[in-house]
Amino acid sequence: MKTKRAIFVSMILVISILCLAFMNVNYDKLSRYPYKNEENNRLIREHLNDQEIEYIIEYSIAPATFIAYIQEDGFNIYHAAEYRELNKLLWDETPAAIVRMVEKTRNYMDVITLANYLVYYKFDELSYWIDHGDSYNSNSILVTNAGNPNAYVDDIHTVSIRKPYNLQQINDNIPTLYDKYIQVDAALQTPIQNLCNAIQTDLNSFNSCGGLFVSEGYISYADQDKRYKDAIQQYGENAGKVEFMPGHSEHQLGLAVDFCLRGLANSEFDKTEQYKWLLENAYLYGFVQSYKVENAYLTNKSEQSYHFRYVGDELARYLHDNNLSLGEVIAN
């Protein structure tokens, strides 16, 4: 009798265990999830583990906040709010791009900062900065407003490998030294043409642009890197006073030009009537001389009488009238 009873109890126990196991296998992990949508639930079961599912249930996280991104490589349910916030700012980006950008940058900046950078930088350029930093200055700061006329670069502030969006070949009416192919930011085209017309008129010159030539405009990161390395070979530790580190040059902004007179060395340019005219009038067309003896303490550069930077009419007038440099304004 005892044997039969023991067998019966054992059978009941086994059946109970099997039933519990069967129930556990078929238990709907989303039974407590208040958002009922079979397709969403299928994706959640497929892409989230038990802990992540428990997380969205506990905090009642609606599928609308993350379901668009759940199938993308690198998706992390705990970062869903960041995806959604960035997508509001970059509404035309794909879910895959949103996930990729957040996951790449979230340890370095918030999504607002990221969106601000992406106004002027391609994401690949920003990724390069995150991965490599600055080869020449580990304390460098990446400029946020790199495409603005008042963007400021120096030995600390850099645009890394960024290439301007609006580069154009300089106006055909602007003489370039030895007909060199020169590019500038589109914002310079009309102002530099107006400047050339004015100096030609004021100097009563038969030569286009009053005899001035443009010898440099946009210089790429790679070309500037070569120039800087050559300067190191020639000047050693003083290289930074005569040449720019790559990423730190106004030329890379596309917002600066170097003027010259044919056959005249740059070191002699400050003795010409053209330079005198530029000092007195360039600001009227939005240009300022960036590197002077009096601001060398700030720029760490020797005087460059031939180098003029476009900052726009209003700021150029303010700098001229108050005898300030762009760096002094930015620093304040």
Side-chain angles (χ1 to χ4, degrees):
M1 188 73 177
K2 285 185 178 180
T3 303
K4 289 182 177 179
R5 180 175 294 181
I7 293 172
F8 178 75
V9 170
S10 297
M11 290 177 62
I12 294 297
L13 182 59
V14 170
I15 291 170
S16 298
I17 293 172
L18 290 173
C19 287
L20 288 172
F22 180 78
M23 290 173 61
N24 188 54
V25 168
N26 291 277
Y27 173 66
D28 184 358
K29 293 177 287 188
L30 293 171
S31 61
R32 295 182 293 114
Y33 195 49
Y35 307 98
K36 304 302 182 185
N37 178 293
E38 189 54 41
E39 177 59 18
N40 288 346
N41 287 1
R42 182 189 68 78
L43 290 171
I44 290 169
R45 291 190 195 95
E46 182 179 342
H47 294 282
L48 300 186
N49 60 37
D50 289 350
Q51 181 179 343
E52 293 167 335
I53 289 175
E54 193 60 37
Y55 167 74
I56 66 172
I57 292 173
E58 181 179 354
Y59 293 97
S60 298
I61 300 174
T65 65
F66 63 84
I67 208 71
Y69 315 102
I70 198 170
Q71 300 181 78
E72 305 303 338
D73 290 343
F75 170 79
N76 188 320
I77 184 59
Y78 304 109
H79 306 158
E82 296 168 62
Y83 303 151
R84 186 164 183 143
E85 185 177 2
L86 184 62
N87 199 202
K88 289 177 182 177
L89 299 169
L90 305 176
W91 55 269
D92 57 341
E93 290 288 355
T94 65
I98 293 293
V99 171
R100 180 169 64 100
M101 290 189 286
V102 168
E103 295 304 325
K104 177 71 176 183
T105 63
R106 67 183 309 275
N107 291 331
Y108 303 91
M109 63 189 73
D110 58 39
V111 294
I112 301 297
T113 303
L114 171 59
N116 287 336
Y117 271 120
L118 291 175
V119 173
Y120 297 111
Y121 292 83
K122 295 176 181 176
F123 184 68
D124 288 347
E125 294 168 339
L126 200 56
S127 292
Y128 180 92
W129 168 256
I130 290 172
D131 290 338
H132 302 283
D134 189 332
S135 301
Y136 294 97
N137 186 349
S138 61
N139 296 316
S140 288
I141 299 169
L142 190 66
V143 174
T144 307
N145 63 336
N148 277 354
N150 64 348
Y152 180 68
V153 291
D154 60 9
D155 288 349
I156 297 294
H157 299 87
T158 179
V159 292
S160 186
I161 64 168
R162 177 185 182 269
K163 181 177 181 179
Y165 295 157
N166 299 315
L167 285 178
Q168 297 178 352
Q169 182 177 355
I170 200 167
N171 192 314
D172 288 339
N173 296 322
I174 307 299
T176 61
L177 190 62
Y178 305 124
D179 295 323
K180 181 179 179 180
Y181 178 77
I182 289 176
Q183 292 180 298
V184 294
D185 190 286
L188 269 68
Q189 295 283 36
T190 298
I192 199 169
Q193 179 66 71
N194 292 340
L195 181 151
C196 277
N197 292 342
I199 190 173
Q200 183 173 348
T201 299
D202 290 351
L203 297 185
N204 296 314
S205 174
F206 291 105
N207 296 316
S208 179
C209 206
L212 286 176
F213 290 85
V214 174
S215 60
E216 295 289 358
Y218 167 73
I219 299 175
S220 70
Y221 179 95
D223 286 346
Q224 191 61 50
D225 188 43
K226 183 179 184 306
R227 293 175 186 223
Y228 188 68
K229 287 174 179 174
D230 289 344
I232 291 174
Q233 292 295 319
Q234 184 173 357
Y235 300 103
E237 62 183 16
N238 292 317
K241 290 182 170 57
V242 296
E243 193 55 85
F244 304 96
M245 292 182 289
H248 297 261
S249 169
E250 290 185 333
H251 284 293
Q252 195 177 323
L253 297 172
L255 295 169
V257 292
D258 288 352
F259 290 111
C260 69
L261 295 175
R262 192 186 294 273
L264 188 73
N266 283 341
S267 58
E268 300 295 315
F269 187 75
D270 62 346
K271 300 177 176 61
T272 65
E273 62 176 348
Q274 287 86 352
Y275 174 64
K276 181 180 178 182
W277 185 94
L278 288 169
L279 270 186
E280 295 174 354
N281 298 283
Y283 78 95
L284 297 172
Y285 307 93
F287 291 88
V288 293
Q289 182 186 339
S290 298
Y291 306 106
K292 299 180 180 180
V293 171
E294 53 264 37
N295 65 20
Y297 74 96
L298 184 64
T299 64
N300 191 39
K301 293 291 177 290
S302 302
E303 177 154 3
Q304 296 184 8
S305 58
Y306 49 86
H307 178 99
F308 280 77
R309 156 74 186 277
Y310 181 74
V311 295
D313 294 354
E314 185 176 345
L315 181 54
R317 181 178 291 277
Y318 177 81
L319 295 178
H320 176 271
D321 292 349
N322 293 279
N323 194 29
L324 292 170
S325 66
L326 180 59
E328 289 170 304
V329 172
I330 299 299
N332 293 330

